[in-house]
Amino acid sequence: MVLPIVLGAASGIAGFVPLVLALRQTKKVTDTSNLGHAGALLLGVLASFILLFATAIACVLVDRPSVLPFVLAEAVALCVAGIAFGLYRHFR
């Protein structure tokens, strides 16, 4: 039971990485860019969703009874990573 929770938490933290990269990309976007600020952020959200769903589907295929702890740990870790990042940026 511990392994799916740890792997889910790692997957949730890894799912936050595309969001941070997209946020950094928005600082490099010019006013005349085709991608734009919102486009870069939406691509980051899309990449994050793809990563999270792919790991959840892999968990379903490998060990179906462990899906609930895996997905809950994944969601909690993603939220905690987002909150920690926001607090870090706010107080830095």
Side-chain angles (χ1 to χ4, degrees):
M1 181 62 79
V2 174
L3 185 62
I5 293 172
V6 171
L7 291 175
S11 175
I13 292 170
F16 188 70
V17 172
L19 299 174
V20 174
L21 295 176
L23 187 61
R24 287 186 183 168
Q25 184 65 31
T26 58
K27 294 178 182 178
K28 298 177 185 176
V29 173
T30 63
D31 291 336
T32 59
S33 174
N34 289 338
L35 188 59
H37 299 286
L41 290 174
L42 286 175
L43 285 176
V45 169
L46 179 66
S48 179
F49 278 161
I50 289 171
L51 181 67
L52 293 174
F53 284 127
T55 56
I57 290 170
C59 182
V60 168
L61 295 175
V62 172
D63 189 19
R64 186 176 288 269
S66 299
V67 171
L68 184 62
F70 180 86
V71 172
L72 288 177
E74 190 176 45
V76 168
L78 181 68
C79 292
V80 168
I83 292 169
F85 179 75
L87 289 174
Y88 170 75
R89 293 288 299 254
H90 179 71
F91 291 114
R92 185 176 64 136

